[in-house]
Amino acid sequence: LRLGRIEFKRANFRGAFPYLEDARKLDPANPESSFLLGAAHYTEGRYKQAIPPLEQAIQVQPQYPWALEYLGGAYYRVGRMEEAFRTYSRLVEIDPENKYVHTFLGQMYLEEGNYAQAKREFQRASEINPRYAENLFWLGWLETRLGSSEQGIKYMQQALERSPNDAIYHTYL
């Protein structure tokens, strides 16, 4: 587990895989090895492979916020939307001050066309951290989409101030 953790922190995910797999097999009751293995797969873009170890981490420790966050993202990226919503909803119950989960939920509601709920989630994330650039961008995008271009541009400019090198923010602005 220590070797896997070291490789994970170095962002050498391929090097971490064998250590984390072994740690998971040797001590399946320790959620950390399952979480790190799932997070490594997720970070490498292998969302489908990330799901089983993340689910195992949650089985062992149902209130594991990081595992829930990654699991919700993995479900979302493989198109398992109901499970993503359920997972993020659990995370909001555990950690209502998590700006990321509110932004993720806002994005999911946007995709569904539920703009009112998306706006509530983005606004909640802004209440938690008014300087979170990604959330400001999405809030600006939504405001523009809803016809409030002036307010949308303000939010997008704020996002750009906080993350000036983000090409996507420049493009949309």
Side-chain angles (χ1 to χ4, degrees):
L1 178 57
R2 286 186 193 145
L3 291 170
R5 195 181 303 129
I6 289 167
E7 294 302 327
F8 184 90
K9 286 182 180 181
R10 294 161 119 183
N12 178 12
F13 304 115
R14 293 190 191 279
F17 288 133
Y19 297 120
L20 295 172
E21 284 284 2
D22 287 347
R24 187 171 157 222
K25 289 175 189 166
L26 292 169
D27 187 6
N30 182 344
E32 185 183 9
S33 57
S34 294
F35 162 69
L36 289 173
L37 181 62
H41 280 297
Y42 182 96
T43 305
E44 289 276 303
R46 293 195 301 262
Y47 307 116
K48 190 174 182 179
Q49 293 91 327
I51 292 171
L54 291 168
E55 288 176 334
Q56 183 179 357
I58 299 302
Q59 255 184 324
V60 174
Q61 187 178 335
Q63 306 287 331
Y64 198 147
W66 285 103
L68 286 166
E69 190 171 314
Y70 276 86
L71 182 59
Y75 284 148
Y76 172 76
R77 283 169 178 78
V78 299
R80 293 167 62 177
M81 300 304 276
E82 283 299 314
E83 290 161 298
F85 270 114
R86 267 197 313 274
T87 303
Y88 283 147
S89 296
R90 277 181 61 195
L91 183 53
V92 166
E93 290 174 17
I94 295 165
D95 185 7
E97 300 300 305
N98 185 322
K99 66 184 179 204
Y100 302 111
V101 74
H102 289 287
T103 300
F104 295 148
L105 282 167
Q107 291 170 335
M108 292 173 65
Y109 284 120
L110 268 181
E111 282 188 29
E112 285 190 338
N114 186 343
Y115 295 147
Q117 188 61 36
K119 187 172 182 176
R120 280 192 286 278
E121 294 297 341
F122 292 140
Q123 286 173 330
R124 180 65 186 121
S126 285
E127 290 169 10
I128 295 166
N129 184 342
R131 300 182 53 80
Y132 179 38
E134 184 177 354
N135 185 67
L136 289 167
F137 165 78
W138 283 109
L139 193 52
W141 187 91
L142 177 59
E143 288 290 348
T144 303
R145 180 99 174 172
L146 293 173
S148 188
S149 296
E150 190 174 308
Q151 184 61 42
I153 289 170
K154 283 182 187 177
Y155 283 126
M156 286 189 177
Q157 286 173 331
Q158 290 174 6
L160 226 102
E161 288 169 13
R162 282 147 186 84
S163 188
N165 297 324
D166 194 307
I168 292 174
Y169 299 171
H170 282 282
T171 301
Y172 276 90
L173 186 58

